[in-house]
């Protein structure tokens, strides 16, 4: 049973073809938008790849870039079909490709919807990636003389200043690592020796944080050393006073930044997906205008039920690339028709 059967006269068919052509080129622009979003997200992730543990986070931007390219290709092709449908001689060559094209559009829409979903669902993976990446980055903060790690101090400092954060989960994370390089420690000092000897791993641990953790909006001068020592500072109570350090950890700050960005992109991709779904049935309506202006053309969204349509579309996909092969059954059918009807008719 046909789904949503409609009738078109010659004038309506022309307007439909022109409208679909225009909508397809709007879809091409939407594809460019998706591609641009993926490229922007990839650049933003690469800016801070040093504080990310793996490359799984690049799955989202790579998917957006791929779907943007495919969207431009599919809709550009569909626009060409709609344009040629105005000319009966040009449209004939596209008719055999309509069913395979519909099947590909169906698969494309499924993939596009999947990409929209992962934009919302990648928060958990991104959280673990940032947690481990920031932890490793903080360990290498002091290695300013080590090739390949000398940039890490600048990266962490700029990150904490830009996102107004401190440490991985909070400023106390700096208490657990040696973030001061040995070249800046006076090993003749008794205090330095005692701190190193008191630690099993021989690290110099202090209850202090880098300068980039300081909140410049605080009226009090930054207390970045002896943060937990109340007697080291005048009128200071570590437990009750509002510290002039950033309270939020950088993992939370970066996670919120990237999650908000991906969620916004996911919403845009969903809108593009809805627009693509409305256009996925256009080849069923695209038909060359008949020479007879009084003729009426009947078309539908689905000629058969959904199950039979999907089965037919999958069979069409299998035939892609086999246009040079002639089915024996088809030849037999042509032979039978040839026996009943003359192949050539002479008009005198």
């Amino acid at each position: 049973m046909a789904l949503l059967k409609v009738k078109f006269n010659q004038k309506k068919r022309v307007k439909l073809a022109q409208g679909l052509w225009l909508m397809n080129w709007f879809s091409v622009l939407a594809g460019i938008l998706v591609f641009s979003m993926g490229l922007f997200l990839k650049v933003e992730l690469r800016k801070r790849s040093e504080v990310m543990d793996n490359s799984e986070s690049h799955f989202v931007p790579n998917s957006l870039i791929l779907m943007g390219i495919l969207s431009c290709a599919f809709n550009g092709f569909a626009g060409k079909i709609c344009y040629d449908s105005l000319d009966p001689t040009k449209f004939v060559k596209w008719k055999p490709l309509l069913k395979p094209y519909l099947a590909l559009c169906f698969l494309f829409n499924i993939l596009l919807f999947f990409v929209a979903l992962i934009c919302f669902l990648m928060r958990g993976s991104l959280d673990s990636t940032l947690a481990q990446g920031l932890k490793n980055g903080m360990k290498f903060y002091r290695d300013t003389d080590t090739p390949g790690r000398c940039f890490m101090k600048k990266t962490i400092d700029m990150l904490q200043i830009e996102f107004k954060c401190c440490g991985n989960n909070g400023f106390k994370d700096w208490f657990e690592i040696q973030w001061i390089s040995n070249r800046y420690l006076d090993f003749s000092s008794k205090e330095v020796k005692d701190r190193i000897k008191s630690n099993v791993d021989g690290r110099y641990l202090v209850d202090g944080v880098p300068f980039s953790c300081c909140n410049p909006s605080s009226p009090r001068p930054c207390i970045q050393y002896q943060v937990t020592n109340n007697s080291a500072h005048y009128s200071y109570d570590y437990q009750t006073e509002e510290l002039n350090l950033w309270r939020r950890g950088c993992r939370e700050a970066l996670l919120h930044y990237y999650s908000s960005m991906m969620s916004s992109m996911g919403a845009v991709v969903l809108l593009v997906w809805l627009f693509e779904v409305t256009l996925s049935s256009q080849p069923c309506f695209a038909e060359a205008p008949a020479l007879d202006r009084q003729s009426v053309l009947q078309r539908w969204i689905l000629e058969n039920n959904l199950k039979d349509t999907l089965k037919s579309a999958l069979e069409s996909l299998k035939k892609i690339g086999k246009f040079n092969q002639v089915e024996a059954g088809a030849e037999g059918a042509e032979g039978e028709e040839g026996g009943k009807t003359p192949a050539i008719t002479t008009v005198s």
Side-chain angles (χ1 to χ4, degrees):
M1 181 179 179
L3 175 64
L4 194 61
K5 183 183 292 186
V6 291
K7 297 180 179 180
F8 296 98
N9 56 28
Q10 195 270 350
K11 185 177 180 180
K12 288 183 178 179
R13 292 200 298 274
V14 171
K15 289 183 177 180
L16 176 65
Q18 292 173 341
L20 290 176
W21 175 84
L22 183 62
M23 292 177 69
N24 271 287
W25 284 108
F26 276 125
S27 292
V28 171
L29 295 178
I32 295 175
L33 175 62
V34 173
F35 175 84
S36 302
M37 290 191 304
L39 196 61
F40 174 76
L41 181 57
K42 192 172 185 68
V43 171
E44 285 296 305
L45 289 173
R46 283 199 174 277
K47 283 182 181 179
R48 300 169 185 93
S49 58
E50 296 89 355
V51 294
M52 294 186 179
D53 184 46
N54 53 52
S55 58
E56 290 180 3
S57 55
H58 288 273
F59 178 72
V60 174
N62 290 340
S63 300
L64 291 173
I65 290 173
L66 176 61
M67 298 311 294
I69 294 174
L70 290 177
S71 178
C72 292
F74 277 119
N75 291 293
F77 178 72
K80 175 64 175 174
I81 292 178
C82 293
Y83 182 79
D84 286 348
S85 68
L86 298 173
D87 188 344
T89 59
K90 292 182 178 180
F91 185 74
V92 173
K93 63 181 180 181
W94 298 118
K95 273 192 173 182
L97 301 178
L98 291 184
K99 285 187 176 180
Y101 173 78
L102 273 177
L104 290 175
C105 282
F106 178 75
L107 294 177
F108 170 75
N109 287 330
I110 292 177
L111 290 176
L112 189 61
F113 183 74
F114 173 72
V115 170
L117 286 182
I118 63 175
C119 287
F120 296 103
L121 301 177
M122 283 296 289
R123 180 183 176 91
S125 176
L126 186 62
D127 189 9
S128 59
T129 296
L130 286 171
Q132 189 60 39
L134 284 166
K135 183 178 180 181
N136 294 334
M138 291 172 62
K139 288 180 180 178
F140 302 143
Y141 182 87
R142 65 172 184 169
D143 297 339
T144 53
D145 297 328
T146 305
R149 298 178 184 173
C150 55
F151 60 87
M152 190 56 71
K153 178 184 180 300
K154 179 181 178 181
T155 299
I156 297 294
D157 283 334
M158 294 302 297
L159 178 67
Q160 294 186 146
I161 292 173
E162 180 180 356
F163 286 91
K164 300 179 179 180
C165 59
C166 184
N168 191 343
N169 299 306
F171 66 90
K172 289 185 179 180
D173 293 334
W174 289 108
F175 300 172
E176 301 172 2
I177 63 172
Q178 180 181 340
W179 55 272
I180 301 176
S181 175
N182 287 337
R183 67 179 296 187
Y184 302 112
L185 295 177
D186 182 9
F187 286 94
S188 63
S189 172
K190 184 178 182 301
E191 180 185 354
V192 173
K193 289 180 180 180
D194 290 342
R195 283 188 177 274
I196 293 176
K197 289 180 180 180
S198 63
N199 186 267
V200 178
D201 298 326
R203 294 179 297 174
Y204 180 76
L205 303 182
V206 294
D207 55 344
V209 297
F211 78 97
S212 54
C213 284
C214 295
N215 182 358
S217 301
S218 174
R220 181 168 187 157
C222 183
I223 299 176
Q224 64 180 109
Y225 293 107
Q226 296 182 329
V227 176
T228 59
N229 188 357
N230 292 335
S231 61
H233 311 284
Y234 177 74
S235 185
Y236 177 75
D237 189 347
Y238 164 70
Q239 299 294 335
T240 61
E241 186 169 341
E242 183 72 21
L243 298 180
N244 51 6
L245 304 177
W246 300 118
R247 290 280 188 174
R248 187 169 62 164
C250 290
R251 180 185 60 82
E252 180 186 349
L254 284 173
L255 184 62
H256 179 266
Y257 174 72
Y258 285 120
S259 296
S260 300
M261 187 184 300
M262 289 184 182
S263 297
S264 300
M265 291 181 178
V268 173
V269 174
L270 275 179
L271 292 177
V272 173
W273 173 76
L274 290 173
F275 192 63
E276 292 286 351
V277 169
T278 61
L279 292 176
S280 61
S281 61
Q282 61 182 338
C284 298
F285 293 110
E287 179 73 20
L291 297 177
D292 184 4
R293 292 181 175 271
Q294 302 302 321
S295 63
V296 177
L297 179 68
Q298 291 187 1
R299 281 295 179 265
W300 41 79
I301 294 292
L302 294 179
E303 185 176 2
N304 302 310
N305 57 42
L306 182 60
K307 181 179 179 181
D308 293 339
T309 302
L310 290 176
K311 184 177 179 181
S312 176
L314 291 176
E315 290 176 354
S316 299
L317 275 178
K318 295 178 181 179
K319 295 179 181 179
I320 294 178
K322 298 181 180 180
F323 296 110
N324 294 330
Q325 298 181 4
V326 180
E327 297 181 1
E331 289 181 349
E334 289 178 1
E336 292 177 3
E337 291 178 359
K340 295 178 182 179
T341 306
I344 302 175
T345 303
T346 304
V347 181
S348 58

